[in-house]
Amino acid sequence: MPRTRQPAFKDNLRETALFNRRLLVAAIMVGILAATLVGRLFYLQVINQIHYSTLSENNRVNLLPIPPTRGLIYDRNGIVLAQNQPSFTLTLVPEHIPDMDATLETLKQRIQLTDQDIARFHRYRKQKRRFEGIPLRFRLTDEEVARIAVDQYRLPGVEIKAELARHYPLGKLASHAIGYVGRISENELDDLDTANYSATTHIGKVGVERYYEEQLHGEVGYQRVETNAQGRILRVLERTLPRPGKNLYLNLDARLQEVAEESFGDENGALVAIDPNNGAVLAFASMPTYDPGLFVNGIDSKTYRALTSSMARPLFNRALRGQYPPGSTLKPFFGLASLETEALRPDHEINCRGWYKLKNDDRRYRDWKAHGKTDLSEAITESCDVYFYELSFELGIDNIHKYLSRFGLGKRTGIDIHGEQPGLLPSREWKRRTRNQPWFHGETLITGIGQGFMLATPLQLANITATLSQRGQRQTPRMLYAVQDATTNEFTVQKSKPREPVERIDEAHWQTVIQAMHDVIHGPTGTARGIGYGMQYKAAGKTGTSQVFGIAQDEEYVEEDVIKQLRDHGLFISFAPLEDPRIAVAVIVENGGSGSSSAAPIARKVMDHYLLERNEPHEPD
């Protein structure tokens, strides 16, 4: 018999309890969520209020750097050597230009645009935002500005901006001393104070511009600006002006520098003139020179190739980095060493037959002529090589190295320009270390006439000449004369630091050598007597001629038969006036032949100009 289904009865109590439990759980969850929201709101609005307020402010306000004005460079008489000149730059704003290629093509029809200009523009375009102006051409001429201005209404996004650019008003004059500025490279950025250079595009590359970069640059300024969501400036809220760079006054005399450079004519070489009393560098010429303005906004590749491939090497700073055999210009210093060590007595005479031989050696060390009986003074005055062969043999390389080191040969002078070369003062230890060979007597002989391994820069020669003129008082050559604060006009003279003097040289020995150098110019047989005629002051000097290549024992050097690039270098050192020296000069004329005919006349022109005109350093009012 089938079973009948029993009707289900609703359990109200059980369902009510279940509903209440679910309601309670939901309420707890809502409460937890509400508490979480309130807690988060409290955390954001109360606890971190300052932090988030600052972030919000930064979204609206930006801090933009303002570049400082670069300091000016003057010579000792207040003549401007480097200044800032208003310049027009063509810039394009991409977001306003509907067709960039068409715009560039239109501009090419109105002004000169090189492939390098366009390539640089596209490179900058990748680094900038669309609403920012990107430079296309620098240094527009007035005519180019006018051509663009006439059609500017047809060229949306094309702007002409006026800004300050470095300018060298004297062109090529003293470019190796002043140097130049150029655009900051990526490598240079790694070494710079990024905050202080945040708005700066150019930096000193060489010369004084580079050495005194910190003083010339100044301190960056800032402005707080309100921007929109796209970063565009709406208004300026606050401005802190930049602090301009300091003005530099150099010891250089621009008029003297001009005389020095013009005196070289078409010859290559270098001249350095120093005030021996304080180390002030009065003239610093390296010939040929170049136009530093070419590098300010980027030199084009064709011009740069022409400069670097030129046989004359105009970019090479001969005065600072050129290392030449000093030749006979070192004979006065060898003479001092001989007197001090008593290697030879002052009245010692030799009989110069035009050549010298070492015992048990067949090689003849030749002189430029046979001088006959010659003592030390005559050997300096007439530049007798045979006398100095014997003198250097008696001295020995150890004494030569010891005494010439006291004058600073073989070491950098410490001038305030980067890149100076030290020259070379050879020694036994140097040869053993660098060539793993012993020192030979023959090498001592040719060292005694400033040849062989011996090398010196024109700056070193001028410096040791200044030391000789002061009877051993040494100074550090210095380009900078004074610094002027561009804000306060405060003028501060920078004094050179005296160096340790050359010690233990008898006054009579100084006098013997200096008198012989006087006779080089004013004596009847002096090698530089040609420049002594009509001289209104007394001077001391020494000629030098250094070989560019060696010749065999059985060959004669005939200048006319040798191509220009292989002819001897001509050198000359001098100081004047004799009683109270105010200028010391060293000159080298590359492949100029005899120093008496090539280098000495240049030194005479420079000394005449400096001593016969008033050249006191200028101090601004």
Side-chain angles (χ1 to χ4, degrees), residues 381 517-537 539 541 543 572 594-605 607-608:
T381 302
M517 293 177 69
H518 164 271
D519 293 343
V520 169
I521 297 174
H522 302 286
T525 58
T527 52
R529 60 186 182 280
I531 68 167
Y533 298 123
M535 191 176 273
Q536 298 179 35
Y537 49 87
T543 54
F572 188 65
S594 166
S596 59
S597 60
S598 60
I602 295 175
R604 165 74 190 271
K605 291 179 182 176
M607 291 191 295
D608 276 358

Side-chain angles (χ1 to χ4, degrees), residues 283-414:
F284 189 89
S286 176
M287 304 302 295
T289 183
Y290 62 92
D291 182 0
L294 293 172
F295 293 87
V296 174
N297 286 313
I299 187 171
D300 65 85
S301 56
K302 182 180 178 181
T303 306
Y304 186 69
R305 277 199 303 273
L307 288 172
T308 54
S309 62
S310 170
M311 293 286 288
R313 298 192 297 167
L315 298 182
F316 181 55
N317 191 333
R318 290 169 166 81
L320 189 72
R321 300 179 59 80
Q323 301 181 105
Y324 305 90
S328 298
T329 57
L330 292 189
K331 285 175 179 173
F333 303 90
F334 291 122
L336 277 173
S338 171
L339 294 172
E340 285 297 306
T341 60
E342 299 181 351
L344 293 176
R345 296 194 318 274
D347 57 352
H348 174 78
E349 289 186 343
I350 57 115
N351 183 22
C352 172
R353 293 175 290 178
W355 50 267
Y356 182 84
K357 285 179 65 175
L358 285 168
K359 192 174 181 181
N360 302 323
D361 187 347
D362 292 334
R363 176 176 175 178
R364 286 189 174 188
Y365 295 86
R366 293 184 290 191
D367 205 334
W368 63 283
K369 73 170 190 177
H371 293 81
K373 285 190 175 182
T374 307
D375 62 14
L376 175 60
S377 295
E378 292 168 335
I380 293 175
T381 302
E382 301 177 17
S383 202
C384 175
D385 288 345
V386 168
Y387 190 96
F388 283 92
Y389 288 143
E390 183 169 326
L391 182 152
S392 58
F393 180 76
E394 296 296 331
L395 270 174
I397 187 60
D398 296 332
N399 277 326
I400 289 174
H401 184 271
K402 175 183 175 182
Y403 276 86
L404 267 61
S405 292
R406 294 182 179 182
F407 285 87
L409 285 172
K411 303 172 185 173
R412 294 178 176 84
T413 65

Side-chain angles (χ1 to χ4, degrees), residues 403-433:
Y403 276 86
L404 267 61
S405 292
R406 294 182 179 182
F407 285 87
L409 285 172
K411 303 172 185 173
R412 294 178 176 84
T413 65
I415 190 174
D416 45 350
I417 299 182
H418 293 298
E420 181 185 7
Q421 289 293 322
L424 174 61
L425 179 58
S427 65
R428 294 180 197 275
E429 185 276 334
W430 167 83
K431 191 180 179 190
R432 177 68 69 185
R433 173 168 44 84

Side-chain angles (χ1 to χ4, degrees), residues 276 336 407 464-474 501-515 575 577-581:
L336 277 173
F407 285 87
I464 63 172
T465 304
T467 300
L468 178 61
S469 75
Q470 298 299 302
R471 290 166 162 75
Q473 295 299 318
R474 300 175 64 201
V502 179
E503 296 179 343
R504 296 192 297 276
I505 293 184
D506 190 277
E507 174 58 28
H509 298 160
W510 289 112
Q511 186 56 39
T512 298
V513 170
I514 290 174
Q515 180 59 44
F575 63 86
L578 191 69
E579 302 79 11
D580 182 20

